[in-house]
């Protein structure tokens, strides 16, 4: 009999580091400092058909969602990733139209174990279209397998 060696155990993964969303381009992120990325706004997005059909504009909540995604790139890895807790003093200055290319820059203005705070600027062709004075992200609960008591029967 020949001796065998066991393969080394895979290291435990205790931090969730998601890949950046595919729709974000030209990503520049430094954990704990800032993050910036570009997003194309194609005219084929389904909500343009109903969000002012004759003069379609990107809903502000979509800009806020993109700001959340970009800001999360500057957050440290956690077991479940990061989610939006609040956005304070969000201002929409100009509409974002189909075909625009949006640049989002999020600068860390405060951080702790339970939250990271950002100041966000959103531009199109170097013109400020929206900003958020205080965007706060908090850690998501770690991903766990769902337990259903009915399955144990």
């Amino acid at each position: 009999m020949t001796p065998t060696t066991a393969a080394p155990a895979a290291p435990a993964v205790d931090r969730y580091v998601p890949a950046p969303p595919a729709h974000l381009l030209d990503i520049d992120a430094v954990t704990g400092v800032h993050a910036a990325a570009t997003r194309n706004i194609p005219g084929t997005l389904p909500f343009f058909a109903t969000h002012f059909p004759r003069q379609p504009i990107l809903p502000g909540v979509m800009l806020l969602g993109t700001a959340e995604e970009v800001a999360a790139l500057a957050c440290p890895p956690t077991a479940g990733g990061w989610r939006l807790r609040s956005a304070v003093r969000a201002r929409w200055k100009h509409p974002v139209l189909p075909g625009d290319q949006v640049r989002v820059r999020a600068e860390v203005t405060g951080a702790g174990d339970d939250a990271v705070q950002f100041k966000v600027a959103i531009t199109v062709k170097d013109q400020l279209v929206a900003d958020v004075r205080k965007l706060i992200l908090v850690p998501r609960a770690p991903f766990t397998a769902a337990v259903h008591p009915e399955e144990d029967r």
Side-chain angles (χ1 to χ4, degrees):
M1 231 174 170
T2 58
T4 60
T5 58
V13 177
D14 65 344
R15 299 288 182 223
Y16 174 66
V17 182
H23 56 263
L24 296 180
L25 310 169
D26 300 328
I27 296 171
D28 170 27
V30 177
T31 301
V33 180
H34 74 271
T38 300
R39 179 177 185 180
N40 291 322
I41 309 298
T44 57
L45 294 174
F47 48 75
F48 282 136
T50 58
H51 199 257
F52 308 114
R54 291 185 179 164
Q55 182 78 31
I57 62 172
L58 185 72
V61 70
M62 297 299 293
L63 280 177
L64 198 55
T66 301
E68 174 192 12
E69 291 173 333
V70 171
L73 298 172
C75 292
T78 66
W82 294 84
R83 68 172 180 83
L84 180 66
R85 182 174 84 188
S86 64
V88 179
R89 298 207 44 199
R91 298 181 295 182
W92 313 151
K93 298 176 175 284
H94 298 282
V96 175
L97 307 174
D100 281 345
Q101 192 172 61
V102 174
R103 183 76 177 162
V104 178
R105 180 163 176 82
E107 295 183 34
V108 175
T109 58
D113 290 338
D114 61 343
V116 181
Q117 180 177 308
F118 297 88
K119 180 179 179 183
V120 178
I122 303 170
T123 59
V124 171
K125 296 180 184 171
D126 295 325
Q127 179 184 21
L128 186 66
V129 295
D131 64 1
V132 182
R133 177 78 46 96
K134 185 164 66 170
L135 184 93
I136 300 174
L137 299 185
V138 295
R140 288 185 194 277
F143 297 112
T144 58
V147 177
H148 298 285
E150 300 84 32
E151 293 177 0
D152 293 334
R153 292 183 190 160

